[in-house]
Amino acid sequence: MSDQNPIKPADPDAWSTPQKILVLLAHPDDPEFFCGASLAKWARAGHEIIYFLMTCGDKGTSDRQLESQMLCTMRQDEQRTAASVIGVKDVRFLGYPDGYLVPDLALRKEITRIIRIIRPDIIITCDPTALYVGDTRLNHPDHRAAGQAVLDAVFPAARDHLNFIELWRDEGLEPHITREVWASVTNQPNVTLDVTSTWDIKIQALKEHKSQVRDPEGLEERMRQRLAPGSTPETPRYEESFRRLILG
Ligand SMILES: [Zn+2]
């Protein structure tokens, strides 16, 4: 047997046509922290990416002088700048209050409406089953709520017209099957992407969340130390992992 010209399996994100990728997460900075290098890679490959963030992160400060509305405006601006670094022009906010997100039927309906309007090929969200992140952190309840509401909207609500029938009957929104869901912040990954080529872009985008990053140099240092297996000092490698579901 020769090992010349081995047939390599295609990368899981080697889509042959431009994809419409809908990012549905809880807070400004979630897209960049959770999967910013993958998003930057996809934007540079010509895929269309749209962010919908459920809150504006209006509780994320220890500054006693900063009121929620001011913080909300600040964080929306930071998110738009960070998204443009990633290569995303379309950033929208749903206006739910930070910290109080629950995966109720109202949120499921709102997300169902968005899915039927945007009609994405791929949805990026986070894994609602991840209660712990590593050995030192609890996952934010808004992250879990967002992930749960998104998965419940993908299936079955967006797919079947009798779910939230008013969306179809009164708003003319046809059902939609999202082909793939990629859940970030997961303890059960089944896909790992090499994102070495866009790791610097992720770091640059993270630094745009100025209200959240008190020590930009420290953040950069920590991010550079997050090396993937097989890295050497000369050739560092970086990865992002997901739970990927192929539904359609
Ligand atoms: Zn968050």
Side-chain angles (χ1 to χ4, degrees):
M1 292 266 297
S2 164
D3 61 358
Q4 296 292 307
N5 302 320
I7 298 169
K8 287 185 185 168
D11 290 337
D13 60 341
W15 300 296
S16 58
T17 55
Q19 302 291 295
K20 187 185 274 191
I21 300 174
L22 174 60
V23 178
L24 284 161
L25 290 167
H27 306 125
D29 82 18
D30 288 351
E32 287 76 32
F33 270 113
F34 296 176
C35 51
S38 301
L39 296 171
K41 183 175 178 237
W42 294 331
R44 276 147 193 77
H47 303 298
E48 178 188 1
I49 304 175
I50 304 160
Y51 286 5
F52 270 85
L53 301 173
M54 295 172 207
T55 82
C56 60
D58 55 273
K59 309 276 193 316
T61 186
S62 56
D63 183 344
R64 303 295 198 274
Q65 307 305 315
L66 207 49
E67 291 177 4
S68 264
Q69 191 48 49
M70 286 168 63
L71 180 61
C72 181
T73 303
M74 194 183 291
R75 295 201 64 185
Q76 286 181 336
D77 289 344
E78 291 172 353
Q79 180 60 88
R80 289 189 193 96
T81 308
S84 75
V85 172
I86 295 291
V88 176
K89 296 184 195 75
D90 196 344
V91 179
R92 307 187 210 181
F93 297 90
L94 296 187
Y96 286 83
D98 184 16
Y100 304 151
L101 205 60
V102 286
D104 60 12
L105 288 173
L107 182 59
R108 190 189 303 178
K109 180 178 174 181
E110 184 71 29
I111 295 169
T112 301
R113 176 183 285 118
I114 292 164
I115 292 170
R116 291 197 189 177
I117 291 171
I118 301 293
R119 310 188 77 73
D121 301 298
I122 293 156
I123 285 179
I124 311 299
T125 189
C126 54
D127 186 339
T129 69
L131 191 53
Y132 313 110
V133 182
D135 296 331
T136 58
R137 285 166 47 215
L138 287 166
N139 197 7
H140 195 296
D142 283 359
H143 298 167
R144 290 185 279 120
Q148 187 70 59
V150 170
L151 296 185
D152 294 346
V154 168
F155 174 81
R159 192 195 69 172
D160 297 332
H161 77 285
L162 291 177
N163 283 281
F164 304 122
I165 190 168
E166 60 275 23
L167 294 178
W168 171 70
R169 186 189 59 208
D170 304 337
E171 300 181 34
L173 296 173
E174 288 293 328
H176 178 71
I177 295 174
T178 302
R179 202 186 69 243
E180 298 187 27
V181 174
W182 292 51
S184 57
V185 193
T186 180
N187 293 320
Q188 299 169 290
N190 60 358
V191 159
T192 298
L193 302 183
D194 186 319
V195 290
T196 307
S197 65
T198 48
W199 198 251
D200 281 350
I201 295 165
K202 175 181 172 116
I203 295 172
Q204 197 188 331
L206 285 172
K207 285 178 167 178
E208 295 297 341
H209 293 284
K210 292 182 170 52
S211 68
Q212 306 302 298
V213 178
R214 271 174 264 169
D215 174 15
E217 275 78 49
L219 173 79
E220 175 155 0
E221 183 60 27
R222 286 197 304 281
M223 294 303 294
R224 292 204 185 286
Q225 287 170 359
R226 212 185 274 181
L227 294 162
S231 291
T232 66
E234 297 76 37
T235 55
R237 285 185 57 254
Y238 298 95
E239 294 175 343
E240 287 177 342
S241 295
F242 301 84
R243 182 78 188 184
R244 179 200 194 194
L245 299 163
I246 302 175
L247 302 169

